[in-house]
Amino acid sequence: MAKELKAGQKEELNIGKIEQYGHGGDVWTAAKAFGGQAEAFLDYSANINPLGPPSCVQQALQQSWERMLQYPDPGHRKMKGYLAERLGVEPEYLLIGNGAAECMALALLYLKPTTVGVIAPCFSEYEALSKQFDAKVIAIRGSKELDYQAPAEELLKLAAERDVCFVGHPNNPTGVLYSSQVLTEAANLAAEKNHTLIVDEAFIDFLDEDEAEVNSLYRLCENNRHLIVLRSLTKFYAIPGLRLGYAIAHPSLIEGMKDKQVTWSVNGLALAAGEALFDPKHREEVAAYEEETRTLIVKEREWLRAELRVLGLETWPSQANFLLCHIETPWTAASLQQALGGRGILIRSCAMYEGLQDGHFRLAVKDHSSNERLIHTLRQVLAEEQPSSS
């Protein structure tokens, strides 16, 4: 049953919490809450590739310091050309942004929706940005029996009834993929109703390359003027501090979004990183990095799930580099976060997500040494500590 989300609901829940800005990765707030240095935390609250950036990106940044003396290319032409070649699309179908979040904001600025549909639980920026631009956010809840996905008929109804509909694919914080067939139907239905479907594929690179190609909707953008596909480069390629992402859509949508973009919103060093990633001369190196990443994440994700189950924690199947987990009472996500934070490990509470409960939290998937430390510390905490009342 659809319902309107109340303004300020999340803000009230977040007062005094580590996620006071609505996201994971806030090691500065954690340091203030738990003591110690921000950089010393083992951060499981942000979903970043544990391998770090590819070496070609690191080299490009070291060699590009002079770009700080120049304005960045406002047309992002070099990176856009390389990326277009990599994806097999024309550059006119691409918009480079200061992270996928800027691309979301530009879509909303251009489309000016009155109503926005979301499927809870989902990435908090869908709601936050929509409300900033005065849209009413209508949420339907995913079903626990369907790993927190919405039934197909409810998703299609949402796409048909709302001016804009967001779908995470894989979804955050669940890591679950929707059926590409259902999403294709939703995109076609949105077009029929003169609405827009925005498919957030920020984590799709963690799928096998062939599987990602089959599941992605970006190929539909050529014939559908009511579909926007978002991609992030910060998670998979481990460059969150640079802020880099892109949108794929029909040129009629891209032009409208680009008209709303602040000139030079993408800085020169971020462009240098993107150019290095998609430069054809680096393709072999980057492909090896991508394969190593996917192999590591799949192996460690399954190991982590198995160890968490041994500790009595519930987890859900994920296609991304994170796991949604649940801990039973008397523990809550907040009390577990408090206990682990005091031992230098930061997790992402998901208790504030619409459709989830006090015991839900999210863990990134890291390298084996880090994952072993996490499990060892979790085992100690559950055996030795009583949950705090916070």
Side-chain angles (χ1 to χ4, degrees):
M1 186 73 178
K3 73 181 190 72
E4 181 182 349
L5 298 177
K6 297 177 181 178
Q9 183 176 29
K10 284 185 181 172
E11 287 76 2
E12 292 174 6
L13 287 170
N14 273 338
I15 291 174
K17 306 295 183 182
I18 301 302
E19 296 84 8
Q20 62 177 288
Y21 293 101
H23 299 284
D26 187 357
V27 292
W28 299 273
T29 298
K32 185 176 181 181
F34 303 121
Q37 298 298 312
E39 60 272 14
F41 279 91
L42 180 57
D43 187 7
Y44 272 82
S45 71
N47 309 312
I48 307 303
N49 189 336
L51 294 181
S55 60
C56 64
V57 170
Q58 298 179 45
Q59 291 166 10
L61 293 173
Q62 291 168 358
Q63 296 166 5
S64 298
W65 69 269
E66 288 185 341
R67 293 179 75 156
M68 291 187 288
L69 305 176
Q70 307 166 341
Y71 284 104
D73 174 13
H76 317 133
R77 281 161 281 205
K78 190 173 183 180
M79 178 185 168
K80 191 181 293 184
Y82 287 158
L83 179 58
E85 183 179 349
R86 170 75 179 271
L87 294 173
V89 302
E90 293 299 319
E92 292 75 20
Y93 284 80
L94 297 173
L95 181 142
I96 310 300
N98 187 305
E102 187 196 19
C103 297
M104 291 179 204
L106 294 173
L108 291 166
L109 274 169
Y110 170 60
L111 294 168
K112 296 184 173 66
T114 301
T115 60
V116 172
V118 301
I119 304 166
C122 62
F123 183 44
S124 61
E125 285 297 318
Y126 305 157
E127 177 190 351
L129 285 171
S130 298
K131 288 184 174 179
Q132 284 179 31
F133 300 130
D134 299 322
K136 178 186 291 186
V137 179
I138 308 297
I140 61 173
R141 284 193 178 189
S143 164
K144 183 177 180 180
E145 292 71 29
L146 296 175
D147 298 327
Y148 294 104
Q149 288 185 329
E153 61 273 16
E154 291 189 24
L155 190 160
L156 295 174
K157 187 171 184 287
L158 195 70
E161 292 182 346
R162 306 304 163 201
D163 299 329
V164 167
C165 183
F166 281 100
V167 181
H169 183 63
N171 188 43
N172 179 11
T174 63
V176 178
L177 278 171
Y178 274 90
S179 159
S180 56
Q181 182 178 352
V182 171
L183 291 183
T184 299
E185 190 175 348
N188 293 336
L189 190 57
E192 288 176 17
K193 302 292 185 178
N194 201 31
H195 296 162
T196 304
L197 180 70
I198 301 180
V199 180
D200 180 4
E201 296 184 351
F203 294 96
I204 205 164
D205 288 321
F206 289 97
L207 274 65
D208 175 84
E209 191 170 11
D210 292 337
E211 190 179 0
E213 182 71 22
V214 169
N215 280 282
S216 176
L217 267 69
Y218 82 90
R219 298 283 181 193
L220 302 180
C221 293
E222 183 176 1
N223 297 312
N224 190 325
R225 295 172 180 241
H226 297 265
L227 172 65
I228 300 172
V229 174
L230 304 177
R231 296 278 184 89
S232 169
L233 298 174
T234 62
K235 284 85 172 173
F236 190 86
Y237 297 104
I239 51 172
L242 290 177
R243 308 300 306 133
L244 192 60
Y246 60 95
I248 313 169
H250 191 275
S252 59
L253 282 170
I254 293 295
E255 280 301 316
M257 293 166 65
K258 192 160 58 176
D259 285 345
K260 300 296 183 182
Q261 189 171 28
V262 175
T263 307
W264 307 308
S265 68
V266 183
N267 71 71
L269 294 181
L271 287 174
E275 291 160 13
L277 280 173
F278 299 114
D279 189 332
K281 71 183 181 185
H282 296 151
R283 184 67 198 116
E284 186 175 337
E285 176 196 332
V286 174
Y289 168 92
E290 292 167 346
E291 182 61 29
E292 183 182 2
T293 295
R294 293 175 183 123
T295 299
L296 170 69
I297 295 300
V298 169
K299 180 180 179 181
E300 290 302 317
R301 188 174 61 212
E302 293 312 305
W303 182 87
L304 202 53
R305 281 196 79 194
E307 293 295 319
L308 290 167
R309 284 195 294 265
V310 170
L311 294 177
L313 302 177
E314 187 175 9
T315 65
W316 281 262
S318 171
Q319 298 296 312
N321 63 329
F322 54 83
L323 290 169
L324 178 65
C325 311
H326 184 267
I327 191 166
E328 295 290 341
T329 54
W331 285 94
T332 64
S335 60
L336 184 62
Q337 186 181 66
Q338 186 76 22
L340 290 172
R343 297 181 184 226
I345 296 178
L346 186 59
I347 66 172
R348 173 66 156 107
S349 171
C350 293
M352 68 290 295
Y353 278 81
E354 176 73 16
L356 298 180
Q357 289 79 47
D358 288 344
H360 280 102
F361 62 97
R362 191 189 66 201
L363 294 173
V365 176
K366 293 187 174 292
D367 61 278
H368 192 66
S369 175
S370 297
N371 293 336
E372 283 188 317
R373 178 182 162 189
L374 169 71
I375 293 298
H376 174 74
T377 307
L378 261 174
R379 186 178 294 114
Q380 284 186 326
V381 162
L382 296 177
E384 299 172 8
E385 294 194 23
Q386 294 296 318
S388 68
S389 57
S390 62

